[in-house]
Amino acid sequence: MQYLSVGVALLLEYLAPVMLIGWHWARRHRRPAVPVLAGAGLSIVGLAFVLDLRGGPTLNPIGVAWGLGAALCLCAYFLLSEDNGADAPVSPLLLTTAGTGVGAALLLIAGAAGILPLTAHAGVTILADQAVGWWLPVALLILMSAVLAYPTGIVAVRRLGSSLASFVSLTEVIFAVVFAFVLLGQQPGPMQLVGGALILTGIALVKRPRVR
């Protein structure tokens, strides 16, 4: 996001579902069903509509490289979270704890070495137009964005599979638009509504061969 707009960065990261289809295609040496390919195309087009990228953003090659790197990391998250038919799969809570613990340790090491600037401030902050203590948004970030989000996400991946779960995750953008409308008064436009419908249609097409 230092080099690209938020919309373009998010669009690049959410190329992960298409990358996963290519990964499974190369691994199994079998072309995905036509509905899967059609669903992938519709979901990506729908995502572009939701993000409303008509402003003509300038694509910085460094930013594009970071965005594609984020997409690869998202692919790894879905693949590592998948059950893969193991007799005794790792508990979602343990997998989340280990993953975030290793990530936190690496960030602290990078900060101590001066590679990554780390600063923290305590005091009063503004949340939903109300002055609250610093601990409240921190607690919400911990509970909602980590404690609840990651274990439930891993359970979803194991029930749906990495490919389908990655497409369902595209609805994160739709929910972001809805929450922005409810909490911030940012009303979605017609383009975003059309994009949301395309994403849901793409998910339905991807899911259809599995149901059969």
Side-chain angles (χ1 to χ4, degrees):
M1 294 181 183
Q2 294 181 8
Y3 302 98
L4 300 174
S5 65
V6 174
V8 174
L10 195 59
L11 178 60
L12 289 173
E13 180 180 359
Y14 276 92
L15 286 174
V18 177
M19 293 180 176
L20 280 175
I21 288 179
W23 163 261
H24 288 298
W25 189 350
R27 185 180 181 185
R28 299 172 183 173
H29 303 289
R30 186 173 61 185
R31 184 178 64 85
V34 174
V36 173
L37 295 176
L42 276 179
S43 294
I44 296 302
V45 172
L47 186 60
F49 272 78
V50 170
L51 296 174
D52 198 4
L53 304 177
R54 295 173 297 172
T58 302
L59 296 182
N60 185 297
I62 299 177
V64 170
W66 280 112
L68 294 177
L72 291 175
C73 292
L74 190 57
C75 288
Y77 167 78
F78 286 115
L79 291 173
L80 293 172
S81 299
E82 201 168 20
D83 191 348
N84 290 324
D87 295 333
V90 179
S91 166
L93 183 58
L94 176 58
L95 190 60
T96 301
T97 303
T100 54
V102 171
L106 291 176
L107 287 176
L108 290 175
I109 293 173
I115 301 174
L116 179 68
L118 294 177
T119 58
H121 303 278
V124 177
T125 186
I126 303 299
L127 181 65
D129 295 329
Q130 299 293 326
V132 297
W134 62 270
W135 56 268
L136 180 58
V138 170
L140 290 175
L141 282 172
I142 293 171
L143 292 175
M144 299 299 296
S145 301
V147 175
L148 291 178
Y150 282 100
T152 54
I154 292 172
V155 171
V157 172
R158 291 181 176 178
R159 288 181 175 270
L160 299 176
S162 58
S163 294
L164 179 57
S166 66
F167 275 92
V168 174
S169 73
L170 290 174
T171 58
E172 177 183 341
V173 183
I174 300 177
F175 279 101
V177 172
V178 173
F179 273 85
F181 172 67
V182 173
L183 299 177
L184 303 177
Q186 298 178 353
Q187 186 173 359
M191 295 281 288
Q192 293 175 314
L193 296 177
V194 171
L198 289 175
I199 291 175
L200 294 177
T201 303
I203 292 172
L205 286 174
V206 172
K207 185 179 178 68
R208 186 180 176 188
R210 294 192 172 215
V211 173
R212 286 183 176 180

